[in-house]
Amino acid sequence: MTRDVIVLTPTPPDRATLLAGLFAGGPDLRVDTAAESAVTQLCAPDGRPLVAIEASALVRVPAEVRRLLGVDTEGPVWWTEARASTAVPEAYALARSFAGRLATVLGGTVWPGGTVTTDVVPLRTDITAVPVPDTGIPAVDVLTPRALVVMQDRPVVPLSTWLADALRHAADGDRALQLVTPPASRLTLPLRTALRGLPHRWVVRDERQGLYDGLSGVRLRWSGGIFGPDLDERGAAILVEPFREPVAGVVRQLVLQARTRHHPDAELLLGGALEAVFRRLTGAAPRGWGTAEPAGNPWSRRQLTELARARAPRPTLLTVVGAGALATVRVLRTREGVEEDVTVVVGDTSTAGEESGARDGSGAGAGSDAVGPDAVEGVARELHARHGLVSLLASYRSGRADLTVPARFEAPPVPVRLLVPEDSARGGAGIPASVRLGAGTGAARLYRLGDGSDAVAAWRALERLTGEGGASGGAGTGPGAGRSRG
């Protein structure tokens, strides 16, 4: 399992400062590059990597540092991340000394906290007895024909550029990305979304309970070069007890999934629907965006559009952050136009501590007006009138106020509103009440599935609408979907 060290500095490390940090192991260690020179590796004399250091990134959204590390910063900082291999005991001390040297020279902060060291760390381990990880990918600890295994030991695990790179390699090689963490680790919503669906997995390594899936609680075992269910003698999955423990301090969360479609002209600016959602539900525009976490770029629809245009026809995946809200965005060029698939999760802090009902979804009632059903309808009307809304699904779920995902059971979301194109609408007995938005070929139908207080009725209504011959319009089920899987 690798261990991460992050140094936050007010100015970027120059070449001389980086070299001074890299000499934390003395002159006998080697310095190599990987990932097209985006990663610098501090290696043992025989070439095996000890510490991998990613190119520094400017984080101009201070709230991102607080969200991911719990560290307060007064302004923009340069984020330099190092990953130390645990195969060699001295590697973590090397990473800390590297970070300490940068912080000492540039006046920065090292995470995790503790005594900052700048000492030279001699390599005393018999390197010839340590296996060489033959992965070729800096973020990956174990590579097999079926899986890329990444081990992380930090309280909050984000969708870092390391993990985003590993996901791309997994997709290119038709492999699973399997993330291994201790039981106390929590995932950010963008990472939880990225790991959604098999064969990707979040593997929890518990000293007492063994291995289990952090999203389903199913006991796992390593077999055939991949983590899979450890079935009982009847062939059934085994649910571990820690997964059943309640989550403390839950709040109601609104999960809003929308698809918009635009004509691909030169004047198109993406992000308008997302900005409208943030303003209506949080009272402010998004704070930052990026292709990974931290999402350190200040919000800019023009810059977002330029990036997506440069990457077309390949899809662009983005993380967007704001006050009490997180979003993931997928921009895709299709035959119909330019589409944005948006999932926004907003925490309702007025419901903090309402743990009753969190186990079955019945505690996700109407709550505050800011994220209530009427607010959702206002969002739907605005997006349909001004931002090319094609489909929308709004649901309530219970989760942590900081929007991180623990390795605990969380009830499936409760759907409250569904919007589909008018030509896909359904009527008849048992179909919930609805309102028509717009006119002509662009009209849509907004169905009222409830206020979130009756999960069974809401799901039955949604099933009647989206059964065979129905249309969910591609709204999907998103990161708030049910947590059970094998």
Side-chain angles (χ1 to χ4, degrees), residues 108-130:
T109 301
V110 175
W111 179 94
T115 303
V116 174
T117 177
T118 59
D119 296 338
V120 173
V121 180
L123 191 62
R124 295 190 173 93
T125 298
D126 180 8
I127 292 296
T128 60
V130 179

Side-chain angles (χ1 to χ4, degrees), residues 149-456:
V149 180
V150 178
M151 302 182 182
Q152 287 270 268
D153 182 10
R154 54 199 290 181
V156 176
V157 186
L159 180 59
S160 63
T161 52
W162 301 98
L163 286 176
D165 180 63
L167 276 165
R168 285 191 293 271
H169 280 282
D172 292 343
D174 195 25
R175 292 181 171 99
L177 177 66
Q178 301 199 314
L179 175 71
V180 182
T181 75
S185 293
R186 307 187 309 276
L187 307 188
T188 63
L189 278 170
L191 179 55
R192 189 265 176 267
T193 302
L195 294 177
R196 181 180 66 214
L198 298 174
H200 300 325
R201 280 191 189 274
W202 175 17
V203 181
V204 176
R205 186 165 68 178
D206 190 313
E207 292 183 358
R208 295 175 300 172
Q209 297 291 331
L211 302 168
Y212 62 93
D213 190 300
L215 299 177
S216 70
V218 170
R219 183 172 293 165
L220 302 174
R221 65 187 179 96
W222 178 260
S223 178
I226 196 168
F227 289 104
D230 184 13
L231 306 179
D232 62 18
E233 61 277 4
R234 297 173 298 173
I238 304 169
L239 193 68
V240 300
E241 283 303 318
F243 189 75
R244 305 174 191 268
E245 297 175 3
V247 179
V250 298
V251 303
R252 185 187 62 158
Q253 297 173 356
L254 170 65
V255 182
L256 189 72
Q257 300 158 280
R259 174 173 294 175
T260 61
R261 184 176 297 144
H262 319 281
H263 181 68
D265 58 51
E267 301 302 318
L268 174 63
L269 273 184
L270 300 173
L274 185 62
E275 183 172 305
V277 172
F278 269 72
R279 289 189 182 279
R280 276 189 169 267
L281 299 181
T282 73
R287 290 175 176 172
W289 71 283
T291 55
E293 295 178 284
N297 303 309
W299 177 246
S300 169
R301 292 179 58 192
R302 183 168 299 280
Q303 291 179 2
L304 185 155
T305 303
E306 290 173 353
L307 175 66
R309 184 174 285 125
R311 291 188 170 191
R314 294 174 299 160
T316 296
L317 305 177
L318 303 171
T319 295
V320 180
V321 297
L326 279 169
T328 57
V329 184
R330 183 174 185 264
V331 181
L332 183 64
R333 182 71 166 89
T334 68
R335 289 180 297 177
E336 290 77 20
V338 178
E339 296 186 353
E340 294 176 271
D341 282 335
V342 174
T343 299
V344 184
V345 182
V346 185
D348 181 3
T349 55
S350 69
T351 64
E354 292 181 7
E355 294 188 48
S356 61
R359 306 294 285 176
D360 61 6
S362 62
S368 69
D369 292 338
V371 294
D374 290 342
V376 172
E377 289 204 11
V379 168
R381 291 178 185 276
E382 179 175 353
L383 298 191
H384 184 264
R386 300 180 56 190
H387 299 286
L389 182 64
V390 176
S391 62
L392 177 144
L393 176 64
S395 307
Y396 292 129
R397 65 190 294 275
S398 296
R400 287 177 56 96
D402 62 8
L403 305 184
T404 60
V405 180
R408 296 288 185 272
F409 172 79
E410 293 181 351
V414 182
V416 291
R417 294 294 185 271
L418 174 71
L419 179 141
V420 298
E422 178 68 20
D423 58 8
S424 298
R426 307 185 73 178
I431 297 299
S434 65
V435 293
R436 191 171 190 257
L437 304 184
T441 57
R445 182 69 57 173
L446 180 64
Y447 291 95
R448 294 165 175 164
L449 309 179
D451 65 358
S453 59
D454 190 337
V456 174

Side-chain angles (χ1 to χ4, degrees), residues 452-463:
S453 59
D454 190 337
V456 174
W459 276 107
R460 285 177 177 170
L462 185 62
E463 289 169 358

